[in-house]
Amino acid sequence: MSLLVDRPEDLGPAQLLRVAEGEDLSLSPDLLSRVATSREATLAALATSGPVYGVTTGMGSQSGLAVDAAEQHAFQDDLMLARSVGTAPWLDRRTARAAVAVRLRTLLEPEAGVSPDLISALAGLLRSAVQPAVPETANGAAGEIIPLAHLGALLTGRGEGFSPTRGLVAASELLHEVGLAPYEFGAKEGVAFLQGVPTATARAVLLAADARLLAAQQLVVGAAEIALVRAPRDPYHPALARGDNELGAVLRAVRDLAGEEDAPRLLQAPVSFRVLGPALAHLHRCVHDLEEAADRALTVVSTSPALVEGRFLGTAGFDGFELSARADALRVAILHVAETAAARLHRMLDPRVTGLAPQLSHAPGRHAGLVVLHKRAVGLLHEERRTSAPASLGATETSQGQEDVQSFALEALSAATRAADVARDVTACELVTLHQATLLDPSRLRGSAALRTVLRKASEHLLSSTHDRTLGPDVSSLEQLLMLGWARNVLDLDR
């Protein structure tokens, strides 16, 4: 398939996700014509505007120094060189593709004033097998000068990228192999390319989608645990969500999946079971906040200088603090969900809660059961808590006296992504526990038909044995299943 882009809005979050997963992208002739018109307006304004930051002058603390007319063309390419200071870890292929697609989308706005050739070069990169080598972190700038310089250097053939078979390779070789010519930035295109926060925006779009999937999976696993231990359904009554539509929706979903329980085993379930609704409702709210921030980052004037009403205006469109702050908040919400999940996992090993063998052991004493799964989850969560300070804080001057206020959005989004990875691991551990419990007592596979069906699909990836075994492969197998979208549409199955 190929996604046809006729307007900037055609590259919204849903479309960016498709491109990130590998879908091709093509540009309509009308779109390229409109880009050409804005490019002509930019060139006309450059001819009469006097000094223009990053075009006829240096950048940062050197913006008071002129760039000779004879050097201005090469200067736009050279902007990428000394700023390409990043190293591994690099963005993975999915994230790098999303970053390229967001960069393309934001450069489609007329204020950027780039040429159709640059837009076509980015689209060509997305159609190729080339993966840009873009550093994941170590970006101590207000915007994204370092990662964008790496991407720009790849386009010019002076940087690096990843070959599907050879790893990190010089950009000139990669471009030649896929039939792409190195791109030469025109007037103002280099400085436009370095502005904004497209990498953070791309990561925010991907993280929000992954966190929504995680929330759905945690809903399913939590409902299954509630059903298995025959917990009272009182905490999930929708009437308890008065004034909170998000919580009400989660509570209804929990009851739909877990079903009713006429004979609860306990008068009151453990707290970790009862707070499932509020924890997931808060996670949903934080995901929504990040999605809104990403939407704004896609549409705001992010280039600087921006051509507005015939004048070049300096902007703060490179500021990614909102993305950073929203990512920090989402990270906390994810870790809270993971911590309550780990607590439920602990209770699932307790015969006082389940009525099953201690530690869900095949033969208590002789077999250890699943206690080590809880130890694994606790270890992962401890490591994340150890580095839980907000990444969005800590601005430091880095520009030789010219004030700089960093957003650290890439670091915040990386931290939130790691938290999601940990939460996914904990969810996999819970699924192994549910599988073991239902093998010990098949009557415990309870809840709605949709819930039972989706749990069986997970169990297909595990051994039908309750004996002690090496559990790492089980967790890894389920993690892959979760990443592929297990339980994404489970609620639709009941309708």
Side-chain angles (χ1 to χ4, degrees), residues 112-178:
V114 302
S115 68
D117 291 339
L118 176 53
I119 299 301
S120 297
L122 287 169
L125 193 60
L126 288 169
R127 287 192 294 269
S128 75
V130 173
Q131 175 187 332
V134 178
E136 181 178 341
T137 57
N139 178 52
E144 293 184 3
I145 287 178
I146 294 172
L148 292 176
H150 279 265
L151 178 55
L154 171 71
L155 281 180
T156 65
R158 301 158 92 179
E160 295 175 308
F162 287 96
S163 162
T165 57
R166 293 187 291 145
L168 196 63
V169 179
S172 56
E173 294 181 38
L174 285 176
L175 296 178
H176 177 74
E177 287 176 4
V178 298

Side-chain angles (χ1 to χ4, degrees), residues 367-392:
H367 287 261
L370 304 186
V371 66
V372 290
L373 280 179
H374 181 242
K375 296 180 186 297
R376 173 185 176 127
V378 167
L380 289 167
L381 286 165
H382 174 73
E383 179 63 19
E384 279 304 302
R385 284 193 295 263
R386 192 176 61 82
T387 57
S388 60
S392 50

Side-chain angles (χ1 to χ4, degrees), residues 1 5 11 14 21 56 65 67 77 276 306-307 316 338 367 414 423 426 430 451 455 459 486 488 491:
M1 294 178 64
V5 180
L11 273 176
E21 298 295 346
T56 64
L65 302 177
V67 177
D77 279 358
L276 174 66
L307 183 62
H367 287 261
S414 290
V426 174
E430 290 179 278
L451 180 63
L455 288 175
S459 293
W486 175 84
R488 185 192 305 273
L491 290 174

